[in-house]
Each structure stands twice: as structure tokens, then as C-alpha cells.
């Protein structure tokens, strides 16, 4: 092979080599300008979620535990049973007190009606005594009656007047106990009702129910334990209340906006499973600001450390249902920051997640039904017009 052919080959190889470099540079440049410069990645991302801690509202001795770690519980499912003997006795005492209060108030109504009738009788006696007195006063000067007889009629008139006054006072005293209130709303009945409601709620709370649906974790309660109110028994992890915190450096935060799309992969499922998400919140501070011992940069030697801030990502519900996650799992996240139309702060308080449970409404509802039944069982049917209608003077 002559020198000219060798030079041509070298020139060709050189041209191809530089052509490949130029082409690769162009491809890289295209990807950089269209995608890579708008992509922020981190493997410092973790699954977060609510951890509902189950605690008793009354003290008691544990007689039953009906679940364990890793098992699913449904909302409203009985989880822990406490001994209810003392609560049942207290409820029976409160029940008897409420029944007695209803009967006593009914008796007050009858006493008022009795005094009302007595006033009418005393008024008639007083009128009669007045007539006798006036008649004897007319004939006294004529000598038709004795002075003793006249004085007797005068004493009878005075006595009938005071008898009428006493009856009216007794009537007013009893009326003051019921006026403006129905039997159902009488203070005596309401006070006993409140005690009965509390006794019923304490009895109801001897059974501890799951406030949400989720997986059980951190079970600490055992049969035979004595537990005080507020003691942590176990945790329930609602698997539909899961999100991811991506921890980015503060130098990267200027690119992050609410609403940007996020792609995530869980180490548990590998690269074949990809989650879709979006940024729903940016933090109110770096992690070191909320630590037990926050840095004191005004004293001593100061070393600058670039902080990381958690960016909250809402996951697609279908992805989360298909591939459930657990709190604390690691994720790899990739954010597309090309869309800069979002904001750094929420524009309103709307859209924030809300977490609530209604299982404790049963306490009041069942208590009200019980009290209504007990009231009707003890109230005098002849006073039905005053069960819920306030007593008023005519």
C-alpha cells in the first residue's frame, strides 16, 4: 500500500471520527436543550404518609386484642376490648338517676296543678269569709249578733286571707321550678341526662374501634395490660394517604414550582414500575430549622453547608393502588421543571388534603337514642303536652 492510499485512509478515519464527535455533540445538545436541562433528579426521596396512633379515651384492663402487625383493618372494626364492669355499674347508676329526675319533674307539674286547684278553693273560702264578715258587720249595731260572733267572723276572714296567700306563694315556688322549660329540657332532667350521656360514652369507649382503614404497625398492647387513657396501643397506616418527599438542594429549589410533573421509581419494584406524580407543595423551611438543636450561626466558627428541602409530591391514585408503597421506602425521582407557570406558594387554602373520621359520632347518636327511649319510659303520659313544650302561665 503506497503512502497516498494510507494518507487517504487516515484522512477518512479522521473525518469519520470527528464526524461522530460532532454528531454526538449535536445529539447531546439537542437532548440537553430539549430535555436534560429541564430535568432534575434525586435519589434522596422517601415515602411519607399518615400514621394514625390508636389510643384509648378511658382507663381500663385489656381483655381482647383482635389484630396484629401487618394485618389489614377496616374502618369501624373492633380492635381492642377493655373490661367494662365498672363502666356498666356507673351507667346503671346514671340511668336510675335520670329516670328518677324525669319522674321528679313530672311530680313537680302535678304539684303545680294541685296548688292551682288549692288557690281556687282558698279564693272561694276567702270570698265566703268576706260575705260572712260583711253580713255580721251590718247587723252588729242592731244587736242581732253578739260581739264574740262578730270577732269570730273577723278572725275567719283574716285566716282565709293568709291561707290564700300561702297557697299562692307555694304555687309560685313550684312554678319557678318548671316555668319556661319543658319536662325534657328541665335543668334537673338535663343535668341527669348529661351524667347518663357521659356514663354511656365511657361504657361505649371500652371498645376501641379503628378510625381508618389501613395496615397495623407498632402494636404495643397486650391482653392483661392496664392502660391509661392516651396510651399508644398501635398504629394504623392508611395506604391511600401516601405521598413522597423529594429532598433537593437549596440551589435547585429555584426551579421547583407547584404543579410540575414528576416521575418516580421505587427501589422495591425496580425500574419497570414508574409512578406519575406532581408537586403539590414546597416546604416552609429547611430540615435543620426544625431539628431539636437548630444551628446557631451567630456564635462560634461558622461553616456553610448547603441544605436540602423536602418537596411534596402527590402520587397518581391508580399507580398507588396497583403498586402499594410503605412509609419510609426509598424512591428515585425525576422532575420536569420546563413548566415554570406554577408558583412557589399556594394561591389559597383550598385543595389541601383533609383527614377525618366519623366513627365517634356513634357515641352521641346511640346515647341520644337511649336517652329518648328512657325518657318516654319514665315520663307521665298524662303530661304529654309538656314533654317538649315549655310551661307558661296563662
Amino acid at each position: 500500500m503506497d503512502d497516498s492510499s494510507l494518507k487517504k485512509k487516515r484522512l477518512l478515519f479522521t473525518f469519520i471520527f470527528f464526524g461522530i464527535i460532532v454528531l454526538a455533540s449535536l445529539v447531546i445538545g439537542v437532548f440537553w436543550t430539549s430535555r436534560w436541562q429541564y430535568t432534575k433528579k434525586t435519589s434522596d426521596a422517601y415515602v411519607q404518609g399518615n400514621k394514625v396512633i390508636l389510643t384509648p379515651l378511658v382507663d381500663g384492663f385489656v381483655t381482647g386484642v383482635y389484630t396484629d402487625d401487618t394485618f389489614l383493618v377496616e374502618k369501624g372494626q373492633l380492635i381492642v376490648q377493655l373490661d367494662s364492669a365498672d363502666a356498666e355499674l356507673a351507667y346503671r347508676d346514671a340511668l336510675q338517676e335520670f329516670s328518677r329526675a324525669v319522674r321528679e319533674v313530672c311530680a313537680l307539674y302535678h304539684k303545680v296543678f294541685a296548688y292551682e286547684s288549692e288557690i281556687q278553693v282558698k279564693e272561694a273560702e276567702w270570698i265566703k269569709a268576706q260575705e260572712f264578715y260583711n253580713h255580721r258587720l251590718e247587723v252588729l249595731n242592731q244587736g242581732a249578733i253578739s260581739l264574740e260572733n262578730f270577732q269570730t267572723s273577723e278572725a275567719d276572714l283574716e285566716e282565709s286571707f293568709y291561707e290564700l296567700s300561702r297557697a299562692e306563694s307555694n304555687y309560685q315556688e313550684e312554678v319557678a321550678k318548671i316555668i319556661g322549660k319543658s319536662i325534657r329540657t328541665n335543668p334537673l332532667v338535663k343535668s341527669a341526662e348529661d351524667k347518663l350521656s357521659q356514663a354511656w360514652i365511657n361504657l361505649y369507649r371500652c371498645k376501641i374501634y379503628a378510625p381508618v382503614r389501613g395496615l397495623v404497625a407498632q402494636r404495643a398492647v397486650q391482653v392483661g395490660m392496664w392502660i391509661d387513657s392516651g396510651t399508644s396501643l398501635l398504629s394504623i397506616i392508611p395506604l391511600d394517604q401516601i405521598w413522597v418527599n423529594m429532598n433537593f438542594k437549596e440551589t435547585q429549589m429555584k426551579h421547583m414550582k407547584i404543579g410540575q410533573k414528576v416521575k418516580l421509581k421505587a427501589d422495591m419494584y425496580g425500574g419497570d414500575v414508574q409512578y406519575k406524580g406532581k408537586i403539590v407543595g414546597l416546604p416552609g423551611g429547611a430540615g435543620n430549622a426544625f431539628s431539636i438543636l437548630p444551628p446557631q450561626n451567630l456564635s462560634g466558627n461558622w461553616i456553610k453547608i448547603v441544605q436540602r428541602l423536602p418537596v411534596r409530591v402527590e402520587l397518581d391514585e391508580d399507580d398507588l393502588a396497583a403498586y402499594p408503597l410503605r412509609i419510609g421506602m426509598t424512591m428515585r425521582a425525576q422532575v420536569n421543571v420546563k413548566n415554570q407557570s406554577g408558583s412557589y406558594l399556594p394561591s389559597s387554602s383550598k385543595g389541601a388534603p383533609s383527614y377525618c373520621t366519623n366513627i365517634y359520632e356513634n357515641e352521641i347518636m346511640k346515647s341520644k337514642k337511649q336517652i329518648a327511649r328512657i325518657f318516654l319510659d319514665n315520663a307521665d303520659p298524662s303530661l304529654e303536652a309538656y314533654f317538649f313544650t315549655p310551661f307558661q302561665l296563662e
Side-chain angles (χ1 to χ4, degrees):
M1 182 178 294
D2 54 11
D3 292 340
S4 61
S5 298
L6 184 60
K7 288 181 180 180
K8 289 180 180 180
K9 286 185 178 181
R10 288 178 178 175
L11 184 61
L12 179 61
F13 287 145
T14 303
F15 178 78
I16 292 174
F17 175 75
F18 282 104
I20 292 174
I21 292 177
V22 171
L23 181 61
S25 300
L26 289 174
V27 171
I28 292 173
V30 170
F31 272 93
W32 171 257
T33 55
S34 63
R35 180 177 299 179
W36 290 346
Q37 70 169 328
Y38 301 116
T39 300
K40 304 297 179 184
K41 298 181 179 180
T42 183
S43 58
D44 188 1
Y46 297 90
V47 178
Q48 302 290 329
N50 286 323
K51 184 172 68 171
V52 179
I53 299 176
L54 196 68
T55 58
L57 297 174
V58 295
D59 305 338
F61 180 81
V62 179
T63 59
V65 180
Y66 304 108
T67 190
D68 207 341
D69 289 348
T70 74
F71 284 88
L72 179 71
V73 293
E74 297 291 341
K75 178 181 176 181
Q77 177 181 334
L78 179 62
I79 304 297
V80 178
Q81 172 71 61
L82 305 180
D83 180 62
S84 60
D86 292 338
E88 288 178 356
L89 290 174
Y91 172 71
R92 291 175 188 171
D93 289 343
L95 175 61
Q96 293 174 2
E97 184 177 346
F98 177 72
S99 302
R100 183 164 53 249
V102 173
R103 293 170 181 262
E104 288 177 356
V105 172
C106 289
L108 288 177
Y109 274 77
H110 286 297
K111 187 178 289 187
V112 166
F113 299 149
Y115 279 127
E116 190 175 22
S117 300
E118 184 178 357
I119 288 174
Q120 294 175 354
V121 172
K122 297 302 181 182
E123 284 179 345
E125 292 178 351
W126 182 60
I127 292 172
K128 182 179 179 180
Q130 280 184 314
E131 292 177 350
F132 275 108
Y133 173 79
N134 293 333
H135 178 69
R136 281 161 177 71
L137 181 61
E138 292 176 357
V139 299
L140 176 63
N141 296 329
Q142 300 175 5
I145 61 171
S146 65
L147 178 61
E148 180 182 0
N149 191 293
F150 172 76
Q151 290 175 341
T152 300
S153 66
E154 185 178 30
D156 290 341
L157 176 61
E158 186 175 358
E159 180 182 4
S160 65
F161 172 78
Y162 287 117
E163 287 288 337
L164 175 60
S165 299
R166 184 176 64 178
E168 289 176 343
S169 296
N170 291 337
Y171 174 75
Q172 294 297 332
E173 179 183 356
E174 298 304 321
V175 164
K177 298 176 183 179
I178 63 174
I179 191 168
K181 298 290 184 180
S182 64
I183 298 176
R184 186 68 179 80
T185 59
N186 187 275
L188 294 175
V189 174
K190 292 299 292 183
S191 177
E193 177 185 343
D194 291 341
K195 293 179 181 178
L196 179 59
S197 294
Q198 187 61 59
W200 164 258
I201 289 174
N202 289 342
L203 177 60
Y204 182 85
R205 288 176 177 175
C206 289
K207 294 182 178 180
I208 305 173
Y209 300 93
V212 294
R213 182 179 187 270
L215 291 181
V216 175
Q218 299 177 304
R219 181 176 73 87
V221 60
Q222 300 285 352
V223 173
M225 288 178 59
W226 174 268
I227 55 175
D228 298 322
S229 60
T231 303
S232 176
L233 304 182
L234 51 84
S235 299
I236 300 176
I237 312 300
L239 298 182
D240 59 343
Q241 298 176 13
I242 296 292
W243 64 90
V244 172
N245 277 348
M246 307 180 300
N247 301 303
F248 280 101
K249 294 180 181 179
E250 55 186 300
T251 53
Q252 298 173 297
M253 289 300 297
K254 66 179 181 179
H255 304 290
M256 304 294 168
K257 297 288 185 66
I258 294 175
Q260 289 172 343
K261 302 298 182 182
V262 183
K263 295 179 181 179
L264 304 106
K265 294 180 180 179
D267 292 343
M268 175 180 178
Y269 298 110
D272 295 335
V273 176
Q274 181 172 274
Y275 295 84
K276 297 183 292 295
K278 66 177 180 179
I279 296 177
V280 294
L282 300 177
N288 65 343
F290 304 111
S291 62
I292 297 177
L293 296 174
Q296 301 293 329
N297 295 330
L298 294 177
S299 61
N301 296 326
W302 172 68
I303 300 175
K304 181 177 180 178
I305 300 175
V306 177
Q307 299 298 318
R308 289 182 178 267
L309 293 92
V311 178
R312 180 164 175 151
V313 177
E314 179 184 85
L315 299 173
D316 182 81
E317 293 182 359
D318 295 335
D319 294 343
L320 192 57
Y323 299 97
L325 297 172
R326 305 292 191 272
I327 293 178
M329 291 174 55
T330 55
M331 304 285 286
R332 286 167 288 145
Q334 177 179 308
V335 185
N336 186 344
V337 297
K338 184 176 182 180
N339 179 12
Q340 291 291 307
S341 61
S343 62
Y344 291 114
L345 295 173
S347 58
S348 71
S349 60
K350 296 180 180 179
S354 60
Y355 310 109
C356 56
T357 183
N358 59 359
I359 65 165
Y360 299 108
E361 292 178 2
N362 292 334
E363 296 178 350
I364 299 299
M365 294 302 297
K366 291 185 177 180
S367 173
K368 288 181 177 179
K369 291 180 180 178
Q370 285 276 63
I371 289 172
R373 179 182 59 79
I374 296 167
F375 172 80
L376 294 176
D377 288 345
N378 289 274
D380 187 345
S382 65
L383 299 173
E384 185 175 0
Y386 299 99
F387 282 1
F388 305 102
T389 303
F391 177 84
Q392 300 292 346
L393 293 175
E394 297 180 355

